Amino acid sequence: MRILVSGANGYLGSGIVKNLIDLGHQVIASDFVLNRVDDRATKKASNLFEVENPYDFYENPDVLLHLAWRDGFIHQSDAHFEDLPKHYHFIKKMAESGLKQIAVMGTMHEVGFYEGCIDENTPCHPKNFYGIAKNALRDATKEICQEHDVVYQWLRGFYIVGNSEYGSSVFSKITAAAAAGKQEFPFTSGKNKYDFLDYNDFCYQVAKAVSQNTISGIINICSGKPVSLADRVEEFIKENNYNIQLKYGAFPDRAYDSDAIWGDNSKIQKILKGN
């Protein structure tokens, strides 16, 4: 398939593009700059919100994988609401142009405070601007796809483990701190349990999800297992042989974070097994 990937130069985008190409797809990559994108992709350096006819400009793709999002790790940023109508209009233009399938990267923060396993029917009551904006785009994208008979996929991401310094996760920050020679890393209590997925597995799951159109709706990109943040971070430090220790309690736990939250991975497992 011809797949347009927005936000292709980002931490997730660069890995997902590589996986899509490895699976045999033709990728059109969009971002402001594309220096970290696989050279096998067709690169379109651009501001997608300012393209008048994006379907034509991006060479008539079969699928849109919309990863682009500003300030994803700054949960109370005003950018989430400033950009929301831009995301809506871009997706609407693509759907109206004859696109067959739209997949958008979501987040478990859409759900808000919840204890236990999240599936596609779990009610959403987001507790921060990031989650509120993503959840609004999810509802809008679903309506747009239904109106224009487009396959709708919402890829709900959980927590990603990777040792790249480009990301903004705690794992990327620890990697950067270790590279800078720091021996201590300020941390929370680490008691909260989350759903962690290694970076390469995350990118592969996303690529496989958009490579098919029989399983749609909300698809959790996850492991399906709850693990405490402290345990996973300590394991990460050992895996990478970092000479750094966690300073527990340096930061308070966020009030809107659940004690234990993880994803139902039944849909993604069906996809990985060939439906």
PDB file of all heavy atoms in Angstrom, residues 7 15 116 139 188 195 217 275:
ATOM      1  N   GLY A   7       4.370  13.329  10.764  1.00  0.00           N
ATOM      2  CA  GLY A   7       5.243  13.264  11.928  1.00  0.00           C
ATOM      3  C   GLY A   7       6.297  12.180  11.775  1.00  0.00           C
ATOM      4  O   GLY A   7       6.756  11.577  12.749  1.00  0.00           O
ATOM      5  N   GLY A  15      11.000   5.087  13.384  1.00  0.00           N
ATOM      6  CA  GLY A  15      10.987   3.637  13.547  1.00  0.00           C
ATOM      7  C   GLY A  15       9.832   2.971  12.827  1.00  0.00           C
ATOM      8  O   GLY A  15       9.978   1.890  12.245  1.00  0.00           O
ATOM      9  N   GLY A 116      -7.047  -0.773  36.289  1.00  0.00           N
ATOM     10  CA  GLY A 116      -7.281  -2.048  35.641  1.00  0.00           C
ATOM     11  C   GLY A 116      -6.984  -2.046  34.163  1.00  0.00           C
ATOM     12  O   GLY A 116      -6.225  -1.210  33.660  1.00  0.00           O
ATOM     13  N   ASP A 139     -12.953  11.139  18.728  1.00  0.00           N
ATOM     14  CA  ASP A 139     -14.392  11.197  18.424  1.00  0.00           C
ATOM     15  C   ASP A 139     -14.643  11.797  17.050  1.00  0.00           C
ATOM     16  O   ASP A 139     -15.471  11.305  16.274  1.00  0.00           O
ATOM     17  CB  ASP A 139     -15.123  12.021  19.491  1.00  0.00           C
ATOM     18  CG  ASP A 139     -15.264  11.283  20.810  1.00  0.00           C
ATOM     19  OD1 ASP A 139     -15.183  10.036  20.812  1.00  0.00           O
ATOM     20  OD2 ASP A 139     -15.451  11.952  21.848  1.00  0.00           O
ATOM     21  N   THR A 188      10.364   9.496  40.717  1.00  0.00           N
ATOM     22  CA  THR A 188       9.164   9.468  41.566  1.00  0.00           C
ATOM     23  C   THR A 188       9.284   8.276  42.518  1.00  0.00           C
ATOM     24  O   THR A 188      10.343   7.682  42.659  1.00  0.00           O
ATOM     25  CB  THR A 188       7.906   9.319  40.709  1.00  0.00           C
ATOM     26  OG1 THR A 188       7.959   8.057  40.022  1.00  0.00           O
ATOM     27  CG2 THR A 188       7.817  10.434  39.676  1.00  0.00           C
ATOM     28  N   ASP A 195       1.720  -0.285  31.412  1.00  0.00           N
ATOM     29  CA  ASP A 195       1.889  -1.243  30.318  1.00  0.00           C
ATOM     30  C   ASP A 195       3.067  -0.776  29.459  1.00  0.00           C
ATOM     31  O   ASP A 195       2.972   0.241  28.779  1.00  0.00           O
ATOM     32  CB  ASP A 195       0.603  -1.301  29.492  1.00  0.00           C
ATOM     33  CG  ASP A 195       0.594  -2.444  28.489  1.00  0.00           C
ATOM     34  OD1 ASP A 195       1.605  -2.630  27.791  1.00  0.00           O
ATOM     35  OD2 ASP A 195      -0.439  -3.123  28.389  1.00  0.00           O
ATOM     36  N   GLY A 217     -11.309   0.287  14.436  1.00  0.00           N
ATOM     37  CA  GLY A 217     -11.702   0.874  15.708  1.00  0.00           C
ATOM     38  C   GLY A 217     -10.493   1.149  16.578  1.00  0.00           C
ATOM     39  O   GLY A 217      -9.385   1.353  16.090  1.00  0.00           O
ATOM     40  N   ASN A 275      -4.822 -12.132  11.834  1.00  0.00           N
ATOM     41  CA  ASN A 275      -6.270 -12.091  12.058  1.00  0.00           C
ATOM     42  C   ASN A 275      -6.806 -13.452  12.496  1.00  0.00           C
ATOM     43  O   ASN A 275      -7.953 -13.744  12.326  1.00  0.00           O
ATOM     44  CB  ASN A 275      -7.022 -11.620  10.807  1.00  0.00           C
ATOM     45  CG  ASN A 275      -6.566 -10.213  10.389  1.00  0.00           C
ATOM     46  OD1 ASN A 275      -5.912  -9.517  11.135  1.00  0.00           O
ATOM     47  ND2 ASN A 275      -6.919  -9.821   9.183  1.00  0.00           N
TER      48      ASN A 275
END
